[in-house]
Amino acid sequence: MTDTTAPLPIARNVEALRATVRDWRRQGFTVSFVPTMGALHEGHLTLVREAGQRADKVVASVFVNPTQFAAHEDLGTYPRREAEDAEMLAGAGCHLLFAPSVQAMYPDGFVTTVTVGGPSRGLETDFRPHFFGGVAVVVAKLLNQVQADVAMFGEKDYQQLRVVTRMARDLDIPTEIVGVATMRDGHGLALSSRNAYLSEAELDIARRLNGVLAEAAIKAAGRRPIAGVERDAYTDLLKAGFERVDYVAVRRADDLGAFPDGVVDAPARILAAAWLGKTRLIDNLPI
Ligand code: PAF
């Protein structure tokens, strides 16, 4: 039984993390892992609960990873609230919080990069070229540090999920990568730590993203030409009140490649990124 009222143990460095995991392994426990950047919400807690279904012990990390932010992005203002996060994690059944410092993750002299091709091409990379390099290096490190049996990633960041899955396979990282369905509010808005930046008026507009994508997904599933579906969805997002749309794209679900015949003829995903004020929202749906 997990005592959900006890404070959650926190490991601040790899040695402390590994000592606990080693001890669990000695006792024959399986281990699951949920990487996060903190500012937790119900979406993260769903990952933690799912992790608890899949293994005896759950490790979650909270690390706001500087290498996945560009200089002009929100690294400095990204919400940080460790005590609250720890309490929420404990309540959801997490057994250990790994919360390393930037210095512990990237000590002086750190020079290694990880580049994943395939699914990291296009979409987010066209607008945030630094992003998957940063994600790949930190996730490779975290997976090596925790050495869990299974690790959970939200489908909300669908391209990230495909990139991490490809990387783990290519680098023979022995942790199974599991995607978990996106948690949404009552209006269909995908939960995200960055939703906290939205004003009430922006929130109303943000809640229309999912509807526009759902309509486009139906058209694409009916084999309407993808270019037209993407164009209409793009226009609909602007009409809904989004100030700028980075992309709306229909791609193959597994490797995020384009459909060469211009119609959906295999499992697909529609993905979008759009701006409201200073906030960039992403979402996606299966087709
Ligand atoms: O999805 C996130 O929160 C981050 O990109 C991750 C996977 C924790 C890596 O920093």
Side-chain angles (χ1 to χ4, degrees):
M1 276 287 280
T2 309
D3 176 0
T4 53
T5 58
L8 187 64
I10 302 181
R12 298 282 176 197
N13 54 44
V14 186
E15 294 70 32
L17 166 73
R18 288 209 170 131
T20 300
V21 173
R22 210 170 26 244
D23 190 44
W24 289 340
R25 293 291 189 196
R26 245 185 250 124
Q27 297 177 66
F29 292 132
T30 54
V31 179
S32 55
F33 174 49
V34 181
T36 82
M37 296 207 301
L40 302 182
H41 51 66
E42 200 46 43
H44 296 109
L45 301 184
T46 304
L47 299 183
V48 173
R49 290 189 201 102
E50 180 64 32
Q53 297 292 312
R54 289 171 180 265
D56 304 313
K57 297 288 181 185
V58 179
V59 179
S61 61
V62 170
F63 179 65
V64 182
N65 174 35
T67 65
Q68 68 190 75
F69 290 79
H72 63 277
E73 290 182 342
D74 56 345
L75 174 64
T77 54
Y78 197 86
R80 289 162 172 86
R81 34 177 197 247
E82 186 183 280
E84 218 176 307
D85 287 345
E87 209 171 301
M88 290 167 80
L89 287 168
C94 177
H95 300 94
L96 177 68
L97 169 58
F98 178 45
S101 64
V102 172
Q103 181 63 21
M105 287 297 270
Y106 298 112
D108 294 343
F110 189 97
V111 288
T112 299
T113 56
V114 179
T115 306
V116 184
S120 75
R121 298 211 182 93
L123 303 172
E124 286 300 294
T125 298
D126 287 343
F127 298 89
R128 305 181 70 202
H130 58 281
F131 181 64
F132 286 120
V135 167
V137 82
V138 82
V139 173
K141 279 175 70 76
L142 289 165
L143 292 175
N144 279 330
Q145 289 165 338
V146 182
Q147 305 199 353
D149 299 282
V150 58
M152 324 301 295
F153 289 82
E155 284 188 351
K156 153 122 189 326
D157 298 285
Y158 190 77
Q159 189 175 12
Q160 171 175 277
L161 169 63
R162 299 318 320 157
V163 169
V164 167
T165 304
R166 184 74 253 174
M167 178 190 73
R169 197 178 304 157
D170 288 352
L171 298 184
D172 301 311
I173 295 174
T175 301
E176 183 194 353
I177 307 298
V178 172
V180 177
T182 304
M183 280 290 288
R184 298 180 182 279
D185 74 4
H187 306 266
L189 175 66
L191 300 190
S192 161
S193 306
R194 289 188 170 108
N195 292 352
Y197 300 154
L198 298 172
S199 66
E200 277 303 312
E202 288 171 337
L203 202 53
D204 282 344
I205 299 169
R207 287 180 166 143
R208 300 177 65 182
L209 174 55
N210 172 60
V212 170
L213 292 186
E215 203 176 304
I218 292 169
K219 290 186 200 161
R223 294 178 67 87
R224 298 263 286 273
I226 287 170
V229 171
E230 290 173 345
R231 212 169 31 241
D232 289 352
Y234 189 100
T235 310
D236 289 347
L237 288 175
L238 293 177
K239 276 192 206 145
F242 283 92
E243 286 148 37
R244 197 161 88 232
V245 178
D246 280 352
Y247 60 83
V248 183
V250 174
R251 295 295 176 88
R252 287 198 303 254
D254 54 356
D255 61 2
L256 295 180
F259 285 95
D261 294 336
V263 290
V264 167
D265 53 15
R269 205 93 192 174
I270 182 161
L271 308 99
W275 288 87
L276 281 171
K278 289 193 168 69
T279 310
R280 185 172 184 271
L281 301 176
I282 60 168
D283 200 358
N284 68 86
L285 289 175
I287 298 178

